[in-house]
Every structure is written in structure tokens, then in C-alpha cells.
Amino acid sequence: AKGWHIIAHGRDAGRLAAAEADIRATATGPVDMVQGDLSLLSDTERLAGDIATLTDAIHVLINNAGGTRAERIITPEGNEATFAGNHLGHFLLTKRLLPQLKAAAAASSQGTVRVLSTSSSGHSSSPVIDWDDLQQTRDWVSGKSYCLAKLCNILFTRELQRRLEADGIIAIAMQPGVVLSNFASHCTPEMKAYMLSLDGDTPDITAQSMVW
């Protein structure tokens, strides 16, 4: 409703179309939808290219995709899917879109260009990082893999802020609390039951904090 050009991302064409209809109901600026899977780095690379054709300046990048899986899945590219979808895809997308972020920062007031990454309080339960098996492929546990990825979101944000501060870009990580979304759809039964036992907020309420 503020008139911004919105570029939104999703994996499923049908859900993308439904989301686009919802956004267009209140949007007063341009709306574009791009499709891809962040757990696949080749898809992420293409996704960044698609976004770059739509705009030469990005004022806010929200890295919000996330989820857990009930079983260990190795992508066709050889990455563990939870780690790739929650961290590696965001890392690569941000890196590829740095020219558009820096272009926006050069033409904007200091501190108004931002990269926001959604983490989780689960980061505090992450095990010590094993640099010989960063993606925990040898000793994979669903919740442990997710917590590691969320810790990496925060470490990435801290280093991104250090590197981009001179460009006037602010990098922020936030944890949204419990969100009553389809987040737990692919969780283990134990995690799904745990998530359902918690009180939380609807996605539209949580999104208000992210927009702020």
C-alpha cells in the first residue's frame, strides 16, 4: 500500500498465483512473482538473474524462506536440503544481488537499505560447528540441522553488516517467535506436535514486525 515495487518468491506456481492475487488487492505499486527453489543453488542463481532483470536497485531484501524436514535429503547438487534451503540459498541470493543493493544505497539516505534475515531462537540450541562436516551429513538430526542453519543466518548477518557498513547498508537478523503457518508441514512427528502445542501469531501479525 506504500507504493513499493514488490518482488516475491515461491516454489509452487499455484501458491505463487494465489499470493500475487492477495498482494495485488492492496498494492499500489508494481508486483512481480519469481519462482525457484532456494535449496538448489542453480535455481537460486537463476532466481537472482530474474530479479536483476526486474530492477536495478533493491532497497530491502528479506531472506525469509525456512523449514525443516523429517528425513535427511541430499539435493542433486550434493547439499543437505535443510541447510541449503535455510542458509546456502539466502547466502548466494544476497551475494548475487549486492550490486542492486549497493546501487540503492548510493542513491538513498544512510541506513535505509537493509538485508533482513529470519532466524530463530533455535539457533541457541545449535551444536558446535563441525568444519569437517559443515552440513552435518554424517550425523544428521532434523532439529539439529535446522538450529545449525539458523545459527548460520545470524553469523552471516553479523559478517554482512561488517562488510557492508561502509556502503550504508544495514544487515539485521530477527527471530519472529512462533508463527501459525505451514512451517511444520514437513517436520518430524515430534517437532510437529511440539509446534502445535505452542501459542503463536498469524503470519500477517508476524509480518508487521518484519516490515517495521
Side-chain angles (χ1 to χ4, degrees), residues 94 144 177 184:
T94 303
K144 187 174 73 169

Side-chain angles (χ1 to χ4, degrees), residues 56-59 99-113 167-169:
D56 57 5
I58 296 174
H59 296 82
Q100 288 76 24
L101 288 160
K102 289 181 178 180
S108 304
S109 300
Q110 181 83 6
T112 57
V113 174
D167 295 295
I169 298 172

Side-chain angles (χ1 to χ4, degrees), residues 63 87 90-91 94 115-119 149-165 169-174:
N63 292 321
H87 175 59
H90 294 127
F91 179 98
T94 303
V115 178
L116 172 63
S117 296
T118 304
S119 184
K150 295 293 103 180
L151 174 61
C152 287
N153 293 160
I154 293 174
L155 296 176
F156 168 62
T157 296
R158 290 171 67 92
E159 180 62 16
L160 191 69
Q161 172 64 31
R162 188 184 72 82
R163 295 191 183 201
L164 298 183
E165 187 171 11
I169 298 172
I170 294 179
I172 302 171
M174 59 92 75

Side-chain angles (χ1 to χ4, degrees), residues 3-205:
W4 286 43
H5 178 189
I6 298 169
I7 304 172
H9 153 261
R11 293 176 297 178
D12 180 82
R15 291 175 63 194
L16 266 178
E20 181 176 8
D22 285 345
I23 294 170
R24 287 188 181 278
T26 53
T28 58
V31 178
D32 287 293
M33 313 301 281
V34 289
Q35 186 175 357
D37 185 346
L38 286 173
S39 69
L40 296 173
L41 300 188
S42 56
D43 245 25
T44 304
E45 189 83 43
R46 177 189 53 75
L47 196 64
D50 290 345
I51 294 169
T53 64
L54 294 170
T55 182
D56 57 5
I58 296 174
H59 296 82
V60 178
L61 174 63
I62 301 179
N63 292 321
N64 184 58
T68 65
R69 297 170 185 264
E71 58 186 15
R72 173 181 173 270
I73 297 174
I74 302 299
T75 72
E77 298 170 338
N79 291 306
E80 192 279 312
T82 298
F83 189 81
N86 285 275
H87 175 59
L88 291 182
H90 294 127
F91 179 98
L92 179 60
L93 185 66
T94 303
K95 184 175 177 64
R96 291 292 183 262
L97 294 178
L98 281 178
Q100 288 76 24
L101 288 160
K102 289 181 178 180
S108 304
S109 300
Q110 181 83 6
T112 57
V113 174
R114 305 194 172 202
V115 178
L116 172 63
S117 296
T118 304
S119 184
S120 164
S121 58
H123 81 273
S124 61
S125 298
S126 174
V128 174
I129 295 175
D130 179 359
W131 295 107
D132 293 324
D133 185 22
L134 177 59
Q135 300 187 36
Q136 298 183 353
T137 57
R138 291 195 295 265
D139 183 26
W140 188 87
V141 177
S142 176
K144 187 174 73 169
S145 176
Y146 175 75
C147 291
L148 170 67
K150 295 293 103 180
L151 174 61
C152 287
N153 293 160
I154 293 174
L155 296 176
F156 168 62
T157 296
R158 290 171 67 92
E159 180 62 16
L160 191 69
Q161 172 64 31
R162 188 184 72 82
R163 295 191 183 201
L164 298 183
E165 187 171 11
D167 295 295
I169 298 172
I170 294 179
I172 302 171
M174 59 92 75
Q175 70 96 359
V178 179
V179 187
L180 304 177
S181 67
N182 65 345
F183 171 84
S185 297
H186 305 290
C187 293
T188 61
E190 296 81 8
M191 184 178 288
K192 187 176 294 188
Y194 172 70
M195 294 296 293
L196 292 173
S197 73
L198 301 174
D199 293 327
D201 291 318
T202 58
D204 58 322
I205 291 177

